[in-house]
Amino acid sequence: MDSHFSPVFPFHRKAATMSNFSDWQDRMLRAVWRHGEHLPEEVLTWMHELYDERGEVPEQEFCDLWTDRTFSMARSAFETVTSSAEQATGKPATGADFHYIHYTRDPDLGPVGVVHIKSSEVSTPDPAEVLAAVAEGVQEFIMTHHQVPWPVCDEHDRGLHVAYFHETAVWKCTGGTGDGHVVRAIDPAVCL
């Protein structure tokens, strides 16, 4: 009798594992207030890898991992964006006098921490969203503190805006015809 059912067993085990993952994923997304929202593939892949590695991580631990990942991405994005801004403008974007990025982790305000960059904020561990929020914050700082537009479209000589192109954070110019054009990825290491 066992030999009769053994060829089917791996399928049932995989289906049960996928069902367990889906249930866990739904519970964790509700815990971080993201249930039903469209999340980028990279965040969902990270959750799947986490589940494969650790199994059903408890809710509080998951919220901590979500927050730690977001904060780590923000620090990395901040270095990338400020380096680009300083190189392009010749103006300092970091230093002891410049306090415009901070991380809050207040359980009364929600289950996960938030990265604040000037008036932008992000609480999702999605690289494109984090990079876009950091870019907007640094851009706001450069423009208000140094009163220098950054970045600028070489073709139209106007300031650029943060946008998304195929889930990649980009600088976009509204000049020209139509809806404008993508000038480049915010992260210089990313090719479009």
Side-chain angles (χ1 to χ4, degrees):
M1 185 161 178
D2 289 338
S3 63
H4 175 72
F5 290 106
S6 61
V8 182
F9 177 73
F11 173 76
H12 288 298
R13 184 173 176 203
K14 186 174 182 177
T17 301
M18 287 306 295
S19 175
N20 291 344
F21 169 71
S22 294
D23 291 343
W24 175 81
Q25 183 182 41
D26 286 346
R27 286 194 321 272
M28 295 308 103
L29 291 176
R30 278 193 295 273
V32 294
W33 300 343
R34 299 293 189 275
H35 184 70
E37 286 184 30
H38 169 75
L39 285 175
E41 193 63 36
E42 188 164 335
V43 174
L44 298 175
T45 299
W46 168 72
M47 290 183 73
H48 203 284
E49 289 169 354
L50 179 65
Y51 184 85
D52 286 347
E53 181 182 315
R54 298 188 185 182
E56 292 195 15
V57 173
E59 183 178 308
Q60 185 56 54
E61 183 179 348
F62 177 77
C63 290
D64 290 344
L65 291 167
W66 178 281
T67 299
D68 292 345
R69 180 177 162 93
T70 304
F71 288 0
S72 176
M73 288 179 165
R75 285 188 293 274
S76 178
F78 186 71
E79 290 175 17
T80 298
V81 174
T82 55
S83 174
S84 178
E86 289 173 346
Q87 185 177 14
T89 65
K91 306 287 186 186
T94 59
D97 297 336
F98 309 115
H99 301 287
Y100 55 95
I101 183 167
H102 65 280
Y103 314 99
T104 56
R105 205 170 178 167
D106 184 345
D108 293 335
L109 299 177
V112 295
V114 178
V115 180
H116 297 272
I117 312 97
K118 292 294 275 177
S119 61
S120 299
E121 69 176 45
V122 66
S123 63
T124 302
D126 169 46
E129 187 178 337
V130 170
L131 188 59
V134 169
E136 286 177 335
V138 173
Q139 181 184 48
E140 181 183 348
F141 172 79
I142 293 289
M143 293 176 73
T144 57
H145 187 79
H146 295 297
Q147 299 177 354
V148 173
W150 171 81
V152 176
C153 176
D154 294 334
E155 184 180 343
H156 296 104
D157 195 34
R158 58 171 49 184
L160 301 177
H161 303 276
V162 171
Y164 295 94
F165 180 73
H166 299 292
E167 293 192 7
T168 299
V170 298
W171 290 115
K172 184 175 180 181
C173 175
T174 57
T177 59
D179 291 335
H181 61 101
V182 172
V183 175
R184 65 181 175 273
I186 291 173
D187 182 347
V190 174
C191 296
L192 295 178

